[in-house]
Amino acid sequence: MNEVLDPPDYHTRFVKEVKCRWCPTWFATKKDTDRIPACESCQERRSEAEDEWNNAASWEDLLNLNQRYLRNEIFASSSYTMPPDRETMLITPGLLRLHDYGIITIESQPELDYTEQSPWLGGGWHRWVQKPWMMFLIPTEHDLVEKEKVRLLANKLLEDGKLTVSVWSECDTYRHPKKNKGYDETNVAPRRTPLGNDEPLRDAMFHFRTTTVRIHNDDKKDDQANCNVVTRYKHEDSRSDLTDSPWINKTSLPYRNIDALNEPGTSLGCDGKAGDALKNMRPLAFCVAAKEWDAGLDLQKIVEDACIEVGMKPAFARAE
Ligand SMILES: [Zn+2]
């Protein structure tokens, strides 16, 4: 039987007031129509920004758009249609500096460790801990970026014992290793040691290589899996109980293996919004994280210092 609703009832059921994610405006919307609500004028600016990404003609255009997104000047990134998280602001200066070397940062989280009264899980207290991690792209076909230096950068980061690192090409597809064969036995294998200098440069650069811990499944109870976990928390009714409370794993590093790489939704893939401007530069993708909890690492500075040490130049820095 159809239920006939009076207009006021209709409104409480199907219309709600939400706050725009970009500005302080509140507006009425139907439930669940937009997961990232934006008021009319912000929606307009968001689609303008998406057009700019679609029309980017060069790597410099992409760098510039990403910097403007990080500064909150445009309303979409290559993969996000919401503003940068508040926590991102903690590392924005470091992220922006990497762009001077031709690096486009895609995803990141800063190191965090805090205890607060829980706004979720029905109250109580929680302690929330994050390892810093970051994903970024470097072009390998750009006149201002030497391929050899990119290879050295990959080696340098993969050798750093304080980091967990994966390196791969965003524009290549990777076969899944044959069943019952270890990843190391195939030529698209994640490699645990840097490649030798005698191997052809191009091949060497575009292998999928990782120092993430290999586990057969990401069973969250598995101790080994903890190495790949980047966010965890504990929750109790009272603050004092937190000390002995067990950790609950929240998120693990993406891009741990070839399967994870082939999952849909890779953020700035060569088929994504940025199109040819990205694909033509055959970028190498990096996912870098601190290996230990509370290591106090400034990941952006570590990567910047590594760029300087291998001889990359801030050739994309512009006078502002
Ligand atoms: Zn708005």
Side-chain angles (χ1 to χ4, degrees):
M1 201 177 89
N2 287 334
E3 194 184 359
V4 180
L5 299 170
D6 290 324
D9 201 14
Y10 175 88
H11 279 282
T12 54
R13 284 200 188 194
F14 297 108
V15 178
K16 63 175 180 179
E17 287 270 310
V18 292
K19 191 193 152 297
C20 175
R21 288 296 289 268
W22 295 95
C23 77
T25 308
W26 284 78
F27 61 99
T29 181
K30 282 184 184 161
K31 276 177 189 169
D32 302 325
T33 48
D34 190 354
R35 288 189 303 121
I36 303 156
C39 70
E40 218 166 289
S41 87
C42 290
Q43 265 180 37
E44 216 165 281
R45 292 193 58 184
R46 193 162 70 181
S47 57
E48 280 167 17
E50 287 179 309
D51 286 347
E52 283 202 72
W53 279 99
N54 284 323
N55 295 328
S58 65
W59 191 261
E60 282 84 340
D61 285 351
L62 298 175
L63 279 169
N64 183 252
L65 284 167
N66 209 49
Q67 285 167 308
R68 286 163 64 203
Y69 171 75
L70 286 169
R71 292 194 202 105
N72 243 323
E73 293 167 5
I74 59 164
F75 284 19
S77 77
S78 61
S79 47
Y80 288 111
T81 49
M82 54 192 269
D85 287 332
R86 268 154 60 135
E87 64 175 31
T88 306
M89 290 181 210
L90 300 170
I91 51 173
T92 304
L95 293 171
L96 286 170
R97 270 202 314 279
L98 291 174
H99 290 66
D100 293 350
Y101 297 86
I103 291 172
I104 296 180
T105 59
I106 311 289
E107 308 219 24
S108 59
Q109 74 177 28
E111 182 175 285
L112 289 179
D113 184 349
Y114 61 86
T115 301
E116 67 172 12
Q117 251 176 321
S118 186
W120 32 274
L121 296 168
W125 286 79
H126 67 242
R127 182 173 164 205
W128 185 274
V129 185
Q130 293 181 182
K131 289 178 195 168
W133 78 269
M134 161 168 73
M135 179 186 161
F136 57 90
L137 300 177
I138 306 184
T140 65
E141 300 287 342
H142 198 290
D143 290 346
L144 296 176
V145 180
E146 280 178 64
K147 222 181 241 196
E148 171 64 11
K149 304 272 163 73
V150 179
R151 187 179 73 86
L152 292 173
L153 179 71
N155 285 350
K156 186 160 190 57
L157 294 174
L158 283 158
E159 280 167 8
D160 190 327
K162 294 189 291 298
L163 305 178
T164 305
V165 177
S166 294
V167 182
W168 69 96
S169 164
E170 272 284 279
C171 297
D172 289 331
T173 49
Y174 293 90
R175 276 187 305 119
H176 187 276
K178 286 206 177 79
K179 254 191 180 168
N180 303 324
K181 256 191 152 186
Y183 281 97
D184 289 336
E185 295 168 56
T186 79
N187 68 347
V188 289
R191 291 184 180 235
R192 322 202 108 233
T193 52
L195 294 160
N197 290 330
D198 50 347
E199 297 194 62
L201 184 57
R202 189 176 172 92
D203 290 342
M205 281 178 50
F206 295 113
H207 280 296
F208 177 80
R209 297 151 69 189
T210 187
T211 58
T212 52
V213 173
R214 260 182 303 149
I215 38 174
H216 291 298
N217 59 51
D218 284 346
D219 185 345
K220 290 191 173 161
K221 291 185 195 113
D222 190 332
D223 275 352
Q224 269 194 309
N226 283 329
C227 304
N228 297 332
V229 174
V230 287
T231 304
R232 64 181 185 178
Y233 68 94
K234 35 173 82 177
H235 179 259
E236 291 295 340
D237 289 340
S238 76
R239 184 173 189 147
S240 55
D241 288 340
L242 283 176
T243 316
D244 300 320
S245 177
W247 288 106
I248 300 160
N249 292 338
K250 173 82 173 154
T251 50
S252 292
L253 273 181
Y255 319 109
R256 295 182 296 281
N257 54 41
I258 287 171
D259 283 344
L261 208 59
N262 291 336
E263 278 165 18
T266 317
S267 24
L268 188 62
C270 287
D271 302 324
K273 232 182 267 170
D276 285 349
L278 184 102
K279 209 184 303 185
N280 293 342
M281 290 295 117
R282 210 168 140 73
L284 204 62
F286 288 68
C287 180
V288 180
K291 192 172 272 177
E292 307 290 341
W293 298 102
D294 298 314
L297 300 185
D298 181 341
L299 219 49
Q300 287 69 45
K301 183 161 187 332
I302 287 174
V303 174
E304 187 186 4
D305 287 348
C307 289
I308 293 165
E309 273 177 57
V310 302
M312 285 174 67
K313 298 274 181 293
F316 298 84
R318 300 193 307 179
E320 297 198 41

